[in-house]
Amino acid sequence: MSFLGKYFKGWRFRTSRPSLERGSEVTVFIAESNGTAGRAYIGDTELIVEDAGPETIEKQVRVRVTEFDDAAATGRGEFIEIVGESSYAE
């Protein structure tokens, strides 16, 4: 293995459009809510979170992914629980 190969071994680039797997649990911040569902953004990926009401806005929540479209970088998930606060919340 070359010097550069050894140096860069294990490195990978992060993407602004991460892919999510159905059934996986992720932790996200809810950016907005329409009262019954919240919206979270992970880079350019958008996730609609069912049952994430106004009380979850700017909160860190755990979500179970129920569907995801890689091509559109959008998906849906179900709210599990609030796990933290935003450092920007008042």
Side-chain angles (χ1 to χ4, degrees), residues 18-21 23-31 39-43 45 47 49 56 58-65 77-86:
S19 179
L20 302 173
E21 292 185 29
S24 65
E25 291 186 6
V26 295
T27 302
V28 296
F29 282 95
I30 300 296
R39 190 174 306 261
Y41 300 95
I42 310 162
T45 295
L47 190 62
V49 183
T56 63
E58 295 186 1
K59 299 277 190 334
Q60 188 177 22
V61 301
R62 182 165 293 121
V63 176
R64 182 174 298 109
V65 178
E78 56 188 26
F79 170 78
I80 298 173
E81 65 181 336
I82 294 175
V83 295
E85 299 280 331
S86 169

Side-chain angles (χ1 to χ4, degrees), residues 1-54:
M1 180 179 278
S2 72
F3 172 75
L4 283 177
K6 289 179 185 179
Y7 184 76
F8 288 114
K9 183 178 180 179
W11 282 30
R12 59 188 169 110
F13 290 101
R14 289 181 11 176
T15 178
S16 64
R17 292 178 66 161
S19 179
L20 302 173
E21 292 185 29
R22 186 175 184 201
S24 65
E25 291 186 6
V26 295
T27 302
V28 296
F29 282 95
I30 300 296
E32 57 192 51
S33 175
N34 65 9
T36 59
R39 190 174 306 261
Y41 300 95
I42 310 162
D44 293 334
T45 295
E46 179 180 14
L47 190 62
I48 304 298
V49 183
E50 299 299 326
D51 299 325

